[in-house]
Amino acid sequence: MRRRRPQLGPGARHLGLPRLGLPGIGVATSAVHLLSFLALYAAARRDPVLAPRLSLNAARADAATVRTLVGLGVPIAATYGSPRPASSPSPR
């Protein structure tokens, strides 16, 4: 005997949005990251200690600090999406 899913109204499973598939995953992920950035930026702007140090002006950035961060960040970012090493156990 198969269990049936409860019938929902049109669009109920998608909050009224059309199915977007894989591009929708990218749009949703980007939107969440943007909203998270804006919320954290707004919170930091209200903090009396962080606000004077916070700037989105790239010209004010310290070149040595930027080089260090890029040197750390690029190799880490390159590991995302890379194939699993042969020595790692396979997922069950």
Side-chain angles (χ1 to χ4, degrees), residues 1-89:
M1 181 176 189
R2 289 178 62 183
R3 296 173 103 186
R4 288 184 47 175
R5 285 186 177 173
Q7 294 296 318
L8 302 173
R13 283 182 260 158
H14 307 290
L15 301 175
L17 298 172
R19 289 183 182 199
L20 297 177
L22 192 57
I25 294 170
V27 169
T29 302
S30 297
V32 167
H33 284 286
L34 177 64
L35 292 173
S36 297
F37 166 75
L38 293 174
L40 290 171
Y41 182 75
R45 292 294 296 175
R46 290 189 181 102
D47 186 275
V49 175
L50 293 177
R53 296 174 168 264
L54 189 63
S55 173
L56 294 179
N57 184 358
R60 288 186 52 199
D62 179 47
T65 303
V66 171
R67 273 193 300 277
T68 301
L69 291 174
V70 169
L72 289 170
V74 169
I76 292 170
T79 63
Y80 288 105
S82 63
R84 186 177 66 238
S87 63
S88 67

